[in-house]
Amino acid sequence: MMGATMQLARIHGPGDVRLDTVAVPEAGPGEAIVRVAACGICGSDLSYIAQGGLGGPLGEPLPIGHEFAGEVVSAGPGVDDRIVPGLRVAVNPDDAYIGGGGPEGAMAHYIRVTQAKIGSTLYPLADHVEYGEAALAEPLSVALHGMRLLDVQAHHKVAVLGAGPIGLCAVAMLRHLGCTDIAIFDRVDSRLDRARALGASLAVNTAEESLSDALCRFHGEGNRFGARFAQTDVFIDCVGVEAVLQEVIAIAKYKARIAIIALYKKPASVDLFKVMANEILISGSIADDRKPEFGEALEMIAGGRQDLSPLISHRLDFSQFTDALAIARDAVQSAKVMLTFNQEPA
């Protein structure tokens, strides 16, 4: 493929994302080239596009795309001899910050994977696992990592805040962990319907009933220091809205746990007296080191015991990139929008 070119999605400034023509990458020492077959559009991709990068000025265009799977087409010197052309893989983007500040992005037909290692960056796929489902390993492992930090157990009563793609992945992984007492909250009925299909026990539109009232009704309630609390053990914040976090802290019980998986775009004010008085544990989770969870998510996918089809709302060819972004921005009609790469680059 020497001298060949392809299109790569890169951000040039706020609201300015382009398909740039670049050279098809070649594998150097310790590297593999993967032909991308499927790449999900993440909410962080949309945020990076809107703000023009990762929060600071761009020194050069920023490649995007980090939820992907495909096929190895070549490997450089020094690579594990199991990494051979034709190997079907899902890729953990963490080590090289693929699509998240690093020099590579997976919204392209080919991508260079540095530090190419089985079980670290490259995870072989079972023959029956299709690429779109394999690409879900990234967002599923994001949710699972946040739960592992809080040691979520099957008996826990859990509330998921937000039924966007990560919130939906949280429901799927909670069911994987054996949880059955799962409530989820959003303002979009279509997303709540998807959450029910994935196994949420209670799905509430907060425009119709408050989070506090619904949790007290569903998980039970009590009183501590003259204040009502819900019997919810764990809260998974996948929405990133200050008012929602404030309500959670106000209704949280003694020793409740909160995982912050959501992307907060500005500082949030919280009631630290409540956090102290109720010994509430708040844990941030960026999923920057989740190799075990990535592998576990793929094993869950391959096991086929859960129907993950509600997670993917749309599959569009990379040639429809602009349309795919517009759909992904529409919370009413979309969940996970998956780009597919069925045509070779010109």
Side-chain angles (χ1 to χ4, degrees):
M1 292 187 292
M2 185 174 294
T5 61
M6 65 179 188
Q7 290 186 309
L8 169 65
R10 298 194 298 187
I11 299 169
H12 289 258
D16 183 5
V17 60
R18 309 175 196 172
L19 294 181
D20 295 330
T21 299
V22 301
V24 172
E26 298 180 14
E31 299 175 346
I33 304 301
V34 172
R35 180 182 64 80
V36 180
C39 180
I41 298 175
C42 178
S44 62
D45 296 323
L46 302 178
S47 294
Y48 298 158
I49 293 170
Q51 65 191 19
L54 271 70
L58 287 173
E60 57 187 29
L62 176 71
I64 55 173
H66 59 274
E67 304 177 359
F68 67 106
E71 178 184 337
V72 172
V73 294
S74 64
V79 171
D80 187 325
D81 59 12
R82 293 173 293 174
I83 302 173
V84 295
L87 180 67
R88 302 171 69 250
V89 293
V91 181
N92 180 348
D94 293 347
D95 287 351
Y97 295 101
I98 293 172
E104 315 292 343
M107 291 186 187
H109 281 84
Y110 297 94
I111 184 170
R112 176 189 293 109
V113 178
T114 60
Q115 304 175 56
K117 298 176 182 177
I118 298 293
S120 175
T121 50
L122 301 178
Y123 291 72
L125 302 180
D127 291 342
H128 66 278
V129 175
E130 63 96 15
Y131 288 120
E133 280 202 339
L136 292 174
E138 200 283 336
L140 287 168
S141 62
V142 166
L144 181 59
H145 184 71
M147 296 169 198
R148 292 295 189 203
L149 291 174
L150 294 185
D151 191 27
V152 175
Q153 300 294 318
H155 66 272
H156 283 150
K157 299 176 180 180
V158 184
V160 179
L161 316 176
I166 295 297
L168 295 176
C169 285
V171 173
M173 297 316 290
L174 286 166
R175 291 307 303 262
H176 165 69
L177 294 177
C179 298
T180 57
D181 229 342
I182 306 167
I184 189 166
F185 300 87
D186 204 286
R187 287 178 172 265
V188 179
D189 286 333
S190 58
R191 287 188 164 182
L192 293 169
D193 289 341
R194 292 180 183 276
R196 291 186 188 95
L198 287 164
S201 311
L202 178 73
V204 174
N205 187 321
T206 53
E208 300 171 359
E209 183 180 14
S210 74
L211 178 147
S212 298
D213 288 345
L215 284 179
C216 287
R217 170 173 58 84
F218 182 59
H219 286 159
E221 65 179 286
N223 188 285
R224 177 175 167 82
F225 300 145
R228 181 176 70 153
F229 65 82
Q231 294 283 7
T232 307
D233 299 299
V234 177
F235 297 85
I236 310 293
D237 183 0
C238 305
V239 67
V241 174
E242 179 179 352
V244 176
L245 181 59
Q246 290 172 340
E247 185 175 1
V248 164
I249 291 173
I251 199 67
K253 72 174 186 175
Y254 179 62
K255 291 190 178 294
R257 309 171 197 180
I258 304 172
I260 307 293
I261 300 177
L263 178 63
Y264 278 81
K265 299 176 183 177
K266 58 183 180 181
S269 174
V270 300
D271 186 344
L272 292 178
F273 173 80
K274 281 278 191 179
V275 174
M276 178 277 296
N278 287 326
E279 295 191 2
I280 298 168
L281 175 62
I282 301 177
S283 173
S285 175
I286 196 171
D288 195 28
D289 183 14
R290 36 74 195 259
K291 295 177 177 63
E293 293 93 338
F294 199 96
E296 185 174 343
L298 274 177
E299 290 175 4
M300 185 269 280
I301 292 168
R305 289 183 293 275
Q306 290 179 251
D307 178 13
L308 299 176
S309 60
L311 285 172
I312 301 177
S313 60
H314 297 79
R315 298 173 189 258
L316 288 89
D317 189 79
F318 187 48
S319 62
Q320 298 174 278
F321 176 71
T322 301
D323 292 338
L325 287 182
I327 293 170
R329 292 187 184 103
D330 187 339
V332 173
Q333 66 168 317
S334 72
K336 178 59 64 183
V337 177
M338 193 67 65
L339 292 168
T340 58
F341 296 76
N342 299 316
Q343 303 174 11
E344 289 293 317

